[in-house]
Every structure is written in C-alpha cells, then in structure tokens.
Amino acid sequence: AGLHGVAKGWCPGALRPMESGDGLIVRLRITGGIVDVALAEQIAQWSRRWGNGQIDLSNRGNLQLRGLSAQHLSELHEALAGWDLLDGDASGEAVRNVVSSPLAGLDSGAVLDVRPSVRSLERRLASDAELHDLPGKFGFAIDDGGLLGLDAIPADIRFIANRSVDGPVFDIRLAGAEGDRLGPCRPDALVDVAAALVRAFLRQRAETGARRICDLVSRRGVDAIACEAGLAHSCLPRPSGPVSPSAYLGAHALGSAGFLGIGLPFGAIAAEDFVKLTSAAAANGARELRLTPWRAILLPVGSVAAARKLAAEMAEHAFILDPADPRLRVAACPGAPACLRGSMPIRDEAAGLAAELSGISGSGIMIHVSGCEKGCAHPLAAPMTLVGRSGRYDLIRGGCASDTPGLCDLTLEQVKQHVRGEAK
C-alpha cells in the first residue's frame, strides 16, 4: 500500500484504490451485481463529482470509478457508507470476490435463487480473518443453473446448482480440475464448505507455494484437497453449458416479464451515458440493473414489449445491442494515457481491429489487445493476443499476454493483415 492506503497492483477496492495514469481507480464490489436504479444514479454522480466521468465494468461484474484523487477519498467513503457499500477493512474487501448468475431470483428456469448464498458467502469472507490470507485474485462463482451460465468465467472455486431427488444441491468444481466434482453440497452448507476449501488451500499453499487453486490441483491432486476439506470426490465431466451470453443482448422475454441486454464497448461507459441508461430504464419500469462478468448490463422490466421499447431508445447511444457486433470479439484495456504501464492508446486501435472482424461468425473473445504483459482485460488465452510496446505490437497465438510472442515489432497495418488472415 502506498500513500493514503493507495495500492499499486491488480485488485483495487474502495478502501485501497489503485494508482493509474488517469488518477486513482476505485472498485465497487456490489453484492450479486444488483444495482438499484437510485444507486446507479448516485454512482454516476460520484464519477462526475470526484472522478473523471469514466466508469469501467470489470470482467468480474464490478464497477470501477476512474480518475479520482486521494483528497476526495474520504468524501467518497462517506457516500459509499451511506449506501452500505463500504467494507469494515481493506483485507475483508479484497477477498470478497464472488461472481453469481446475473438473473438470480428472476430466472424461472434456475435451480434456485442463489442470492442468499451469495450474500452469506460475502459476509463470511469479509468477517473471517483466517480467510483474509487469500490471494487478491482468488475468486468464487455461484451458478444458479439457469439461463446465463458462468462456465467461461474464471473462478478458483465454482458452485453449480443442480436438481436432485432431495432438492437443490451444488456441485463444486475447482480450477484446473473441471472434470472432477466435489460434493454435492446443500445450499445451507455452501458457506461452510467454501471456508473449508479455502482453509485447505491456505494450509497446503504454505507447503507447496501454490498461488491459486489450479496450481495446488496440479501439485497435490483433487483427492488431497477434497480429503482435507472433508468432501466427496468423483469424476463427472461437466455437461455442455448454455449458449453464449452474448446471445442475450437486446430485448428478450423472461417468463411473463422481460429484460434488455446492453453491451459496453470494451467494458467502458461514460457517466453521462450511465445516467441516460439508468433514467431510460427507470422510465420503462426497471427497478434495478444487473451487472454481468461479460461487460454487459441487464435491465429487467415488466414485459418483453417494455424491453423492446427500451432497446429502441438506447439504439442511438454507444451501446452494443447486436450479439453479432464485432466489438464483442475483442478485449482491450484502456492503454495510454489512462494506464501507467501502457504506451499506446489501446482501445482506439482495438476498435479498428474489431472492424476487421465484421461479418465473422462465432462468439467469444477472438482478439485480446493489451497495453502490457499483465493482460488485465482478458486473463485467459485468446486465439490472437497483441501486446503493445512503443507504437508496435508483439503477437501471441493461442496464449496470454504474459506468454512468449511468436512475432514481434509489428505495425498496426501488419497486425490488421494477420487479423484478416485469422478471420478467413
């Protein structure tokens, strides 16, 4: 931690912001990604009052305010506390990394409403000091088994709801061993089971030096972890997950109700656009926004007709409503000057690269454009990863930004030629 509790690292929070090229980044960990419309309006106001008016939606479904200064942190903290968004301490905040199904409690096809489990797990993580030794990027996913599955979202420990003859249960999957199932686990036992797995990881981590669950799985095996946590272990490949979440952009029915899926280009939105979105959503009957880990926001409304009306109103703004929009195939960090490590305006050039993918079928990230080897925008491997260095790019195929590049020192036009070849 630096001056005034400011951190230089991967995981900013409200109590421990991160320094960046455009000021401080403050991440708001909002339980379940459920944002009341009144709170959304406040967040936009905070961004304009104390930040630079730029808001990010992270790949864990958290909102980040950018461009803040240390002198305004106490005012922001007071405002956050008034909305019950301020943790008791930075250590508890840092480990409260739980991603859950964005339509929890609204999806009639889900196995159960996971919102109580999400709240309970976050409370345990925040309050149990023994769990605060977890690495900052250690994450949990709680999947309700419904419309929008979390299969593609990275998580160290994953709880997936399933139906059984005795009622809803969770299967548990560990990163690095997705073909193995631990459990089953009753919903009322989820928090204790998660804590047991964390303690098993922390004990074995001290012996093995493993940084994440996947490292421990590769060194000790699933059996050793399951045994120490007191869990049953079986080999049970995960069934194929639901269709790509990008298919739920635009207006859709949700039982007798409806929702609108809005994509944010590269996960960024200006505060003034956030206000327009929130105001239009409220005018069409939405009471809350649902943040997703796919850099999209879902707006539940009373009917599919209301969702279509809202979609028409939003079409003129800089949102993504079309699942075939090529910008959905590209992940990009802010780059320079917003990031201290970046040397190039990454998002400007990423938009041009996305245009090269127009008309290409498929879903998921095809190109990751990163301002440095950290690869903040996309932690997973991509078919094509580009790392910017002083006006040129290194190219990595089928890997991450930290991997060794196959080609170096490419101009933007040379990169476009490779993209065109990849798109054929």
Side-chain angles (χ1 to χ4, degrees), residues 44-255:
Q45 288 184 26
W46 300 337
S47 174
R48 290 190 293 192
R49 184 182 307 157
W50 298 311
N52 61 7
Q54 298 298 312
I55 300 171
D56 292 333
L57 177 57
S58 78
N59 54 18
R60 282 186 173 173
N62 298 309
L63 290 177
Q64 295 183 162
L65 307 182
R66 301 190 68 96
L68 286 89
S69 62
Q71 70 187 71
H72 294 307
L73 284 181
S74 60
E75 295 171 89
L76 175 63
H77 289 167
E78 183 177 352
L80 291 173
W83 285 86
D84 197 26
L85 292 177
L86 198 65
D87 285 87
D89 60 71
S91 297
E93 176 190 49
V95 298
R96 194 162 56 80
N97 296 317
V98 183
V99 175
S100 64
S101 299
L103 291 174
L106 302 175
D107 182 0
S108 61
V111 175
L112 79 164
D113 182 355
V114 298
R115 289 177 296 178
S117 296
V118 173
R119 288 191 294 267
S120 297
L121 179 55
E122 287 202 353
R123 283 196 296 268
R124 174 67 73 86
L125 289 167
S127 62
D128 190 338
E130 291 185 34
L131 310 184
H132 293 179
D133 289 333
L134 279 173
K137 290 184 286 182
F138 194 102
F140 304 81
I142 302 181
D143 189 327
D144 65 9
L147 192 64
L148 293 175
L150 301 176
D151 298 58
I153 302 305
D156 291 85
I157 301 175
R158 189 182 307 274
F159 293 88
I160 306 163
N162 277 307
R163 294 178 174 88
S164 76
V165 294
D166 298 318
V169 295
F170 286 100
D171 290 341
I172 307 164
R173 311 273 174 164
L174 304 182
E178 284 77 5
D180 296 86
R181 179 183 71 173
L182 278 61
C185 163
R186 298 188 320 275
D188 61 0
L190 183 147
V191 173
D192 288 336
V193 168
L197 281 167
V198 168
R199 290 190 175 96
F201 165 74
L202 291 174
R203 284 192 295 268
Q204 296 189 38
R205 178 194 187 199
E207 301 171 8
T208 64
R211 298 178 60 188
R212 302 285 291 277
I213 278 282
C214 59
D215 302 321
L216 190 60
V217 166
S218 67
R219 297 175 191 184
R220 285 286 177 88
V222 180
D223 272 330
I225 302 170
C227 181
E228 185 158 354
L231 294 170
H233 167 223
S234 58
C235 294
L236 186 67
R238 175 82 200 275
S240 298
V243 300
S244 168
S246 65
Y248 295 101
L249 295 177
H252 297 274
L254 187 63

Side-chain angles (χ1 to χ4, degrees), residues 238-277:
R238 175 82 200 275
S240 298
V243 300
S244 168
S246 65
Y248 295 101
L249 295 177
H252 297 274
L254 187 63
S256 61
F259 72 91
L260 176 67
I262 293 279
L264 306 185
F266 310 120
I269 184 170
E272 61 185 40
D273 289 330
F274 199 44
V275 169
K276 292 173 185 175
L277 175 63

